[in-house]
């Protein structure tokens, strides 16, 4: 689509959409959101970019093949689930690591739940964009 209005608006909108998708990813632990919804929002941003600038430009902006991104996400989610199994607990049981913990301060909590959500996020972005790019390139 060769619309100068769409191309101009897309430059600002895609950045906001991607920022909102990361917010939804990080917000999802205790509230609605998470990896799946954040991934769908990010894929919508790249789809808008592909509509305005073309699929080749969207692929360059993504910087990684969507199929490889989906595979990386599945691998990351699987590894986060295997950590608990390796520690003798049920798979996908949440494990916590507190970075910078000191006496009286818990530090920065990092969990396998967040890693799983990031894996789901990457899987959804990769799978949806692989489908969208294939449909767009065939049209």
């Amino acid at each position: 689509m060769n619309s100068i209005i769409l191309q101009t608006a897309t430059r600002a909108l895609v950045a906001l959409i991607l920022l909102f998708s990361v917010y939804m990813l990080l917000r999802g632990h205790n509230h609605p959101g998470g990896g799946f919804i954040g991934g769908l929002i990010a894929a919508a941003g790249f789809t808008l970019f592909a509509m305005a600038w073309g699929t080749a430009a969207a692929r360059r902006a993504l910087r990684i093949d969507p199929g490889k991104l989906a595979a990386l996400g599945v691998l990351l989610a699987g590894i986060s689930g295997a950590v608990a199994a390796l520690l003798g607990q049920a798979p996908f049981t949440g494990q916590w690591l507190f970075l910078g913990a000191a006496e009286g301060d818990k530090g920065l909590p990092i969990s396998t739940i967040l890693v799983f959500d990031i894996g789901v996020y990457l899987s959804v972005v990769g799978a949806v964009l692989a489908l969208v790019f294939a449909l767009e390139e065939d049209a």
Side-chain angles (χ1 to χ4, degrees), residues 14 37 61 73 93 120 123 134-135:
V14 169
I37 295 173
T93 301
V120 170
S123 298
L135 289 173

Side-chain angles (χ1 to χ4, degrees), residues 44-95:
F46 275 102
T47 301
L48 178 65
F49 191 86
M51 289 173 57
W53 295 93
T55 306
R59 283 185 182 275
R60 282 192 305 274
L62 186 60
R63 297 178 187 226
I64 185 170
D65 181 63
K68 290 179 182 175
L69 188 64
L72 176 68
V74 170
L75 180 68
L76 199 59
I79 288 172
S80 72
V83 168
L86 292 174
L87 295 173
Q89 298 178 351
F92 295 101
T93 301
Q95 303 297 316

Side-chain angles (χ1 to χ4, degrees), residues 79-128:
I79 288 172
S80 72
V83 168
L86 292 174
L87 295 173
Q89 298 178 351
F92 295 101
T93 301
Q95 303 297 316
W96 293 87
L97 174 68
F98 295 94
L99 296 176
E103 192 164 320
D105 182 24
K106 291 173 70 174
L108 177 67
I110 304 290
S111 70
T112 56
I113 300 165
L114 177 63
V115 175
F116 178 79
D117 268 346
I118 292 171
V120 170
Y121 178 91
L122 295 176
S123 298
V124 169
V125 170
V128 170

